[in-house]
Amino acid sequence: KAVVSTQSTGMTSAPNVKWFQKDNYIGLLVEVVDPKKETLTLKLTEKTISFGIDSGSGRKEFDIKFHRKINPERYSQKIKERRIKIILAKAEDSQDEWPRLTTDKHRWLKFDVDSVELTDEETIAARKLEDAKRKLEAEHGPIPDDAKIQRISEMLNVDELSRDIDEAEKEMYDMLRNSYLSIYNGVMAVAFFYLLFMSLLRVTLTGKAAMLTNYATMGWLLKSAQQTAFLEIIHSATGLTKAPLGATVMQVLGRAVILFAVLDGETDLQATTTCFTLMVVWLYGVRSRLSGIRSTLYSCMAGTSQS
């Protein structure tokens, strides 16, 4: 038995203590503000330690019953202004890693996280389990062992599992969303590009006469594409795209009114160069928001938000 003792008086309380271990020793870090060296009391046996010291905030004492044996003749202590470090040699038959410091439960005793090597996965897991036990008992008090194990498991795993599920669901939603928008924008890009290409090709090959018959020949595809464009309102309303709903409605309905109410309803206007010019401007676009340019860009961007 090892004993270091001096006289002391006053009210007592337990200090915060952190513990760590290496291959052949146990370390205790005792948090004490302004310790009085001359009042130190340290009693060691193979299975226990009794500690006491006066400090600036009163007498600090604790007793620990070890899970395994130490060598009470081999120890060291170092007293600083705010902490006392105690090193205790493990007994010859206790040199392997200790799963815990003590079988007793102390709110003021916890594992020293800073002493853990990040590569030591088993030690990190043991530390997490011990921290979880203390947190559970601090919030709910003593509970039956079976329920305790279940709750600790939930504390360690439920939040992480829930986070993984949420991330997987978000990734799946993003993949489906981007796939759908890629297909939609790709179809629209092909349709508008085909309209523009064929309109210009007909004029190149047959001259001005192709301008006068362009709507009659290609108008059905333009109307089909514009009807499909009504999906953009649904995209905006459901959050598939970030485009403002009001602006999208005005844009889609504005083009629909021009196409179906004006051009499609006036056969005389359809057979004019004005109609051909309007179709080409609509398809090729001097404005960045027109469907041909926009759909092509969006298809290349794998279904990102529509403007």
Side-chain angles (χ1 to χ4, degrees):
K1 176 188 291 188
V3 177
V4 177
S5 180
T6 60
Q7 185 83 20
S8 64
T9 60
M11 298 183 63
T12 65
S13 61
N16 291 325
V17 181
K18 295 181 180 179
W19 76 278
F20 63 94
Q21 66 175 313
K22 299 298 181 183
D23 291 340
N24 58 356
Y25 67 85
I26 294 292
L28 300 178
L29 303 176
V30 186
E31 298 178 5
V32 179
V33 178
D34 190 21
K36 312 301 181 184
K37 297 181 180 180
E38 64 277 7
T39 65
L40 174 64
T41 299
L42 185 63
K43 299 180 180 180
L44 300 174
T45 69
E46 288 185 340
K47 292 285 288 185
T48 64
I49 178 174
S50 294
F51 171 91
I53 194 170
D54 288 346
S55 70
S57 57
R59 181 72 177 175
K60 301 296 181 181
E61 295 182 350
F62 68 82
D63 296 291
I64 294 176
K65 183 178 180 180
F66 296 121
H67 175 66
R68 304 283 294 276
K69 291 182 181 180
I70 65 166
N71 184 343
E73 303 301 327
R74 296 180 58 196
Y75 71 95
S76 65
Q77 61 194 30
K78 188 172 184 180
I79 302 177
K80 296 185 178 181
E81 292 184 1
R82 304 183 66 86
R83 189 178 72 177
I84 299 174
K85 183 176 183 179
I86 303 173
I87 300 298
L88 307 170
K90 295 180 180 178
E92 291 295 330
D93 58 352
S94 302
Q95 294 288 313
D96 55 339
E97 183 178 10
W98 293 15
R100 62 187 67 86
L101 180 66
T102 175
T103 55
D104 299 326
K105 299 173 183 176
H106 304 291
R107 295 182 181 275
W108 42 265
L109 178 65
K110 63 181 180 179
F111 186 79
D112 183 23
V113 178
D114 296 333
S115 70
V116 179
E117 306 238 353
L118 293 179
T119 56
D120 191 350
E121 296 181 358
E122 293 182 355
T123 304
I124 293 174
R127 183 257 301 172
K128 287 183 177 179
L129 182 61
E130 186 171 331
D131 289 344
K133 288 179 179 178
R134 285 197 305 272
K135 181 178 179 181
L136 181 63
E137 291 174 348
E139 293 179 353
H140 304 286
I143 57 178
D145 289 343
D146 290 343
K148 181 183 297 185
I149 293 173
Q150 182 178 355
R151 292 294 298 277
I152 290 172
S153 178
E154 291 173 355
M155 291 172 64
L156 291 175
N157 299 322
V158 169
D159 289 344
E160 183 177 354
L161 179 60
S162 177
R163 184 167 56 253
D164 291 342
I165 291 174
D166 290 341
E167 290 176 356
E169 290 177 347
K170 184 179 183 300
E171 290 177 0
M172 179 62 71
Y173 170 80
D174 289 341
M175 182 183 69
L176 294 175
R177 168 185 173 273
N178 289 341
S179 297
Y180 165 75
L181 290 177
S182 294
I183 294 172
Y184 169 81
N185 290 321
V187 170
M188 295 295 284
V190 170
F192 284 120
F193 178 80
Y194 177 79
L195 278 166
L196 178 61
F197 176 79
M198 291 303 298
S199 296
L200 296 178
L201 180 62
R202 292 177 69 251
V203 171
T204 302
L205 295 178
T206 62
K208 183 177 179 180
M211 296 184 182
L212 305 180
T213 60
N214 191 65
Y215 187 88
T217 304
M218 307 299 297
W220 67 272
L221 183 56
L222 179 60
K223 289 186 287 185
S224 297
Q226 184 55 45
Q227 289 171 340
T228 305
F230 276 91
L231 288 173
E232 294 181 19
I233 297 177
I234 299 177
H235 297 167
S236 179
T238 57
L240 282 176
T241 63
K242 297 180 181 180
L245 179 59
T248 302
V249 171
M250 292 180 62
Q251 184 183 70
V252 174
L253 291 182
R255 280 182 271 164
V257 169
I258 295 174
L259 178 58
F260 295 105
V262 179
L263 291 181
D264 200 54
E266 295 291 335
T267 55
D268 292 339
L269 182 60
Q270 296 172 12
T272 62
T273 56
T274 301
C275 179
F276 175 83
T277 303
L278 180 59
M279 288 182 63
V280 171
V281 171
W282 197 339
L283 296 172
Y284 181 77
V286 294
R287 298 175 298 166
S288 62
R289 291 182 180 270
L290 288 182
S291 299
I293 302 299
R294 182 185 59 188
S295 297
T296 302
L297 289 175
Y298 284 175
S299 180
C300 295
M301 294 170 65
T304 56
S305 300
Q306 295 174 326
S307 61

